Amino acid sequence: MIIVFALQGKEQDVSKIIGALNGCLTALPRERLQKVSRIGISGQMHGAVFWKRNAGCHWINSGNVRTFEAKDVSGLITWEDGRCSTEFLSSLPKPQSHLSVATGFGCATIFWYLRNRSDFLQNYDAAGTIQDYVVSMICGLEVPKMSVQNAASWGYFNTCSKTWNTDILEASGFPVSLLPEIADSGCLAGKLSCDWCGIPQGTEVGVALGDFQCSVYSSMTEDTDAVLNISTSAQLTFSMPEGFQPQDHPSPGEAVVYFPYFNDRYLAVAASLNGGNVFASFVAMLSQWVSELGLDISDSSLYTQVIKAALSHGESGLTVCPILFGERHIPDALASVSNITASELSLGHVTRALCRGIIENLHTMLSAHRLRESGVTRLIGSGSALARNDVLRQEVERIFPFPVVYGNDVDSAVGVAMVMIKRR
């Protein structure tokens, strides 16, 4: 996957993503693909892709397999995109929504292009998340459809009325024609317009869902469960009671937000921008130091040794504030290290303190006390970073006094499959 950094932007190559998707599907047994009766798709929220209606892809035959390729499509501007500064965001109109708008959110990205590169937007007449793009292409939709989950992640969307803030956006010159049609999460978007990698034409396709909600759906079995997911970023969440409705305006500085879930319910979420990406940055820094010293150690070997070193140190007096990538409720905050002493400068001490800091940061956003007050009795751990890192798991169990059950790092895919099966 190609990553492009420019103007603090973060983009991914859509052609590479679609190629990887087709490759994964064609690797599956053909006889099983022919029996698929419904397709569910989830993906990372907030990001934006732009394309031309009726011209966003072209279908090709490769051997006896039919796939599609991206055509006249922009890059994927991801949720990690940082081109919208705090000053820029403060200049935008206030949304009629309980959710604030942050850099990397689809509507904020469109506003940035509108004010800085309006010629870019003139090349396209459709937009959505990467998963919305895929659904639109395989169903041949002229107007893309977007679930309530993904729409909320773009900003300027009222989850109670399930409508875009079109009046507010139009008053600021926003190109509202780019906004997708809205569908309830879990509903169908359409049917396959032709055979795809062996899946028969006419197969039902669900509207694209948020990866976070699908991950929770596959993990949370009781209303008294909370789910802690640490992959690139990190989230801690529990479900709100039936009938809960958020207010219609943002709460600046509030660390816990409410994401739409399924069946008109909400999840209370502490959504941190700092998770596995912080640990990966730490390992990348060590790798660079090792290289500068003229040594050659692979990143995978370094990762293993770092974890091993931390496991030999159960305590560390170092205090690491790990918000290397800021937080949406405090976007200008920086990471820091304090309580440094000469006796705790070993690799194990520093790594232990970093892992503890990642979990403590989540705890400051959504505390064990608040979880207990909300009726939580068990914690479900999931995500690739948590699955790979024994030290993170130890710190979860140290900081959150609940029984902890660990899932795996494919929960989002499992979750969307469960949603589609339940529709039968």
Side-chain angles (χ1 to χ4, degrees), residues 18-54:
I18 300 306
L21 174 61
N22 287 327
C24 289
L25 278 177
T26 54
L28 296 173
R30 186 67 179 271
E31 65 274 10
R32 301 295 296 272
L33 290 170
Q34 292 172 343
K35 296 178 181 179
V36 169
S37 60
R38 187 170 290 124
I39 299 172
I41 296 177
S42 71
Q44 288 186 340
M45 299 186 293
H46 308 297
V49 179
F50 302 87
W51 67 91
K52 276 281 192 182
R53 294 182 183 180
N54 300 317

Side-chain angles (χ1 to χ4, degrees), residues 159-214:
T159 59
C160 296
S161 63
K162 301 179 183 179
T163 57
W164 297 105
N165 298 167
T166 50
D167 291 345
I168 295 172
L169 293 171
E170 284 180 333
S172 296
F174 186 98
V176 294
S177 60
L178 286 174
L179 297 174
E181 292 182 355
I182 300 301
D184 281 327
S185 304
C187 288
L188 296 178
K191 297 181 179 181
L192 274 187
S193 60
C194 58
D195 288 359
W196 180 35
C197 298
I199 303 175
Q201 179 181 3
T203 300
E204 293 179 339
V205 180
V207 65
L209 302 173
D211 58 339
F212 172 69
Q213 287 89 340
C214 289

Side-chain angles (χ1 to χ4, degrees), residues 220-226 237-242 261 265 267 371 374-378:
M220 185 184 292
T221 59
E222 304 290 342
D223 284 344
T224 53
D225 288 341
T237 185
F238 63 92
S239 63
M240 297 299 292
E242 287 189 32
Y261 193 39
R265 294 189 67 174
L267 296 172
L371 290 174
S374 301
V376 170
T377 60
R378 183 176 67 164

Side-chain angles (χ1 to χ4, degrees), residues 279 282-291 297-309 347 351:
F279 198 84
F282 174 63
V283 173
M285 177 190 71
L286 294 176
S287 180
Q288 182 177 345
W289 288 1
V290 167
S291 177
I297 304 175
S298 68
D299 285 355
S300 59
S301 177
L302 192 58
Y303 189 99
T304 301
Q305 293 303 314
V306 164
I307 297 294
K308 183 179 179 180
L347 179 61
T351 305

Side-chain angles (χ1 to χ4, degrees), residues 248-272:
D248 63 356
H249 57 86
S251 299
E254 174 59 51
V256 175
V257 294
Y258 300 97
F259 285 4
Y261 193 39
F262 295 99
N263 301 318
D264 295 325
R265 294 189 67 174
Y266 288 82
L267 296 172
V269 188
S272 172

Side-chain angles (χ1 to χ4, degrees), residues 238-376:
F238 63 92
S239 63
M240 297 299 292
E242 287 189 32
F244 168 82
Q245 291 290 320
Q247 56 193 4
D248 63 356
H249 57 86
S251 299
E254 174 59 51
V256 175
V257 294
Y258 300 97
F259 285 4
Y261 193 39
F262 295 99
N263 301 318
D264 295 325
R265 294 189 67 174
Y266 288 82
L267 296 172
V269 188
S272 172
L273 300 178
N274 300 277
N277 51 359
V278 173
F279 198 84
S281 296
F282 174 63
V283 173
M285 177 190 71
L286 294 176
S287 180
Q288 182 177 345
W289 288 1
V290 167
S291 177
E292 290 174 357
L293 291 171
L295 303 175
D296 184 18
I297 304 175
S298 68
D299 285 355
S300 59
S301 177
L302 192 58
Y303 189 99
T304 301
Q305 293 303 314
V306 164
I307 297 294
K308 183 179 179 180
L311 289 172
S312 67
H313 292 80
E315 299 288 342
S316 176
L318 289 171
T319 299
V320 176
C321 175
I323 48 176
L324 198 61
F325 302 98
E327 293 291 7
R328 292 188 179 113
H329 62 290
I330 42 172
D332 296 325
L334 299 174
S336 63
V337 182
S338 58
N339 294 337
I340 303 172
T341 63
S343 62
E344 294 192 341
L345 292 177
S346 72
L347 179 61
H349 282 111
V350 175
T351 305
R352 169 66 67 176
L354 176 63
C355 290
R356 186 178 66 238
I358 292 171
I359 305 304
E360 285 183 338
N361 181 52
L362 276 169
H363 189 263
T364 62
M365 298 172 70
L366 181 51
S367 69
H369 176 71
R370 182 168 178 180
L371 290 174
R372 194 178 292 108
E373 281 190 332
S374 301
V376 170

